[in-house]
Amino acid sequence: MSTCTRLTLLIAFTAWSMLPAVQAQTSPATEPPQQFAQLGDIKLENQAVIHDCALGYRTLGKLNADRSNAVVFLTWHTGKSVEALSMLGPKGLFDPAPYYVIIVDAIGNGVSCSPSNSASQHGTAFPAFSIRDMVEAEHKLLTEKLGLNHVHAVMGYSMGGLQSFQWIVSHPGFMDVAIPIAGTPRQSSYDLLLWRILENSMLSDPDYANGNYTQNPKLPMFQLIFDMNATSPAYRVANTPPAKFEKYYQETKASSPDAPDANDSLWQLRAILGQDIGESVPDGGGKERSLEQAAKKVRTHVHVIAARQDHLVNPAAALDFAKNIHADTTILEGNCGHFFAECDMTVARKAVEGALKGRM
């Protein structure tokens, strides 16, 4: 993993675009343009309202005559559609050529409506939102703005995988196939511990200033904790000799001028913390959620891709849920963990291509 990647860890899963196995397949001249769907005011599941929400997206390819080749790709924590382009193509997760690919910028990523770009709800005034809210905004984009009432596939990596799991419960049957990659239907206690520590690392940093900073904070502890969990202990031991540790340490905690806005990052992090696709249990007072109830709603074919050594998103819940819904599974065995592209891209690509083509 390059020095450049180390300096941009706060851009979370942007590291994809810097790994040698995943190279951008577009040039600025051919890069599909950033587009926006004006969704107006969006009422959230917590009853708060995001005012004047614009949802960003990019499209590749053309919709075929029977409108059956749309593939929706969902972004990771602080990931942007322009970065996700590098995950497609000959060295990416799948060849986009046969499909009409819609890459959606999730709420809070700094492109779509977010704390950093809201005129009327800037910074800490921006409402807390959930993974379910992201999915509902994406559904509005597809149905109301793009005129699609069914798509071939919904897929995403990491937080995009979380959204993919929510899609199959919130809108069962909307897609032929769903492919959550390195995602989970529910945060495990280990996940909650990690993300709470990351949250606290932000809140306790004096430069964060309770979200009222004038300059985007560097958040070195956030970057170090994130990097420690992005791969695996075996990967770190193999790739950082003790003699080079100090250089690695200093580069990892350094901030990039391209780092995402800290409030954007924290708001999406909190959406991850609250993620649970479980459906409310009758007589549970609305507080108890059941994955068994959620499984009963699934009406699409699902292929779950999980990394066994994932220390950012524990794979156990995804693999257990896959059994409950009779989903196909692919387990990535390399020591790259969550950033599996460097170790297991060939295996992941075969699984994605097979899932997409097998349901055409």
Side-chain angles (χ1 to χ4, degrees):
M1 199 175 290
S2 67
T3 298
C4 182
T5 299
R6 299 281 169 230
L7 296 175
T8 56
L9 273 172
L10 187 56
I11 311 179
F13 306 119
T14 304
W16 271 94
S17 62
M18 300 178 186
L19 292 172
V22 185
Q23 299 176 351
Q25 305 302 316
T26 58
S27 67
T30 61
E31 186 177 281
Q34 179 74 63
Q35 301 184 65
F36 290 93
Q38 302 298 328
L39 302 184
D41 290 353
I42 294 181
K43 189 173 184 179
L44 307 174
E45 67 170 338
N46 63 10
Q47 304 306 305
V49 176
I50 297 176
H51 299 306
D52 302 319
C53 181
L55 203 67
Y57 67 100
R58 296 172 192 262
T59 64
L60 293 82
K62 294 182 179 180
L63 197 62
N64 61 13
D66 59 1
R67 302 169 67 84
S68 63
N69 68 332
V71 173
V72 180
F73 193 93
L74 307 171
T75 50
W76 52 94
H77 174 248
T78 71
K80 298 174 174 59
S81 58
V82 67
E83 297 159 356
L85 290 169
S86 65
M87 297 176 69
L88 312 180
K91 296 186 179 181
L93 286 168
F94 68 98
D95 178 7
Y99 307 107
Y100 175 58
V101 182
I102 306 159
I103 308 174
V104 187
D105 290 282
I107 290 175
N109 77 338
V111 175
S112 292
C113 50
S114 305
S116 65
N117 61 24
S118 174
S120 61
Q121 299 167 297
H122 192 76
T124 58
F126 201 82
F129 52 84
S130 67
I131 298 294
R132 283 184 175 84
D133 294 323
M134 293 178 185
V135 168
E136 291 312 302
E138 291 153 7
H139 185 262
K140 287 175 69 72
L141 163 67
L142 295 172
T143 57
E144 298 179 13
K145 303 300 179 179
L146 299 181
L148 294 170
N149 294 312
H150 186 86
V151 298
H152 176 54
V154 170
M155 63 183 295
Y157 162 67
S158 194
M159 192 185 76
L162 273 58
Q163 294 170 76
S164 300
F165 273 118
Q166 188 61 55
W167 259 99
I168 63 176
V169 176
S170 292
H171 300 284
F174 189 88
M175 69 296 292
D176 298 322
V177 61
I179 313 171
I181 305 169
T184 183
R186 168 184 285 169
Q187 298 295 301
S188 71
S189 57
Y190 185 89
D191 297 321
L192 294 171
L193 175 64
L194 171 63
W195 292 104
R196 285 289 293 275
I197 291 171
L198 285 167
E199 177 188 36
N200 288 334
S201 76
M202 284 191 177
L203 296 175
S204 62
D205 192 309
D207 290 341
Y208 179 68
N210 295 316
N212 299 310
Y213 46 85
T214 55
Q215 183 176 353
N216 200 30
K218 295 181 179 180
L219 304 175
M221 191 57 63
F222 178 97
Q223 298 191 71
L224 288 167
I225 296 167
F226 183 90
D227 188 52
M228 185 173 68
N229 292 277
T231 53
S232 72
Y235 179 91
R236 181 55 47 227
V237 170
N239 286 272
T240 308
K244 295 183 178 180
F245 172 77
E246 189 60 31
K247 181 176 185 290
Y248 154 76
Y249 180 82
Q250 295 300 330
E251 289 176 348
T252 299
K253 74 174 186 177
S255 181
S256 165
D258 297 324
D261 178 80
N263 282 331
D264 291 349
S265 178
L266 181 58
W267 262 238
Q268 283 199 339
L269 186 156
R270 286 172 168 166
I272 292 171
L273 270 169
Q275 183 252 356
D276 184 346
I277 72 166
E279 288 288 285
S280 296
V281 176
D283 302 322
K287 295 182 179 180
E288 185 179 352
R289 293 187 177 275
S290 166
L291 289 181
E292 289 73 19
Q293 291 293 114
K296 293 177 182 178
K297 297 188 69 173
V298 178
R299 298 288 183 273
T300 190
H301 181 76
V302 181
H303 192 126
V304 172
I305 301 175
R308 194 179 300 280
Q309 294 198 61
D310 196 332
H311 290 258
L312 274 181
V313 180
N314 187 276
L319 296 175
D320 287 345
F321 192 72
K323 293 178 183 177
N324 290 341
I325 61 173
H326 307 290
D328 293 329
T329 59
T330 295
I331 301 177
L332 308 175
E333 300 288 356
N335 65 10
C336 291
H338 197 73
F339 283 174
F340 65 82
E342 190 174 349
C343 299
D344 292 305
M345 177 55 82
T346 301
V347 178
R349 180 184 176 88
K350 182 178 179 180
V352 172
E353 290 275 17
L356 290 173
K357 293 177 180 176
R359 297 283 157 175
M360 286 297 283

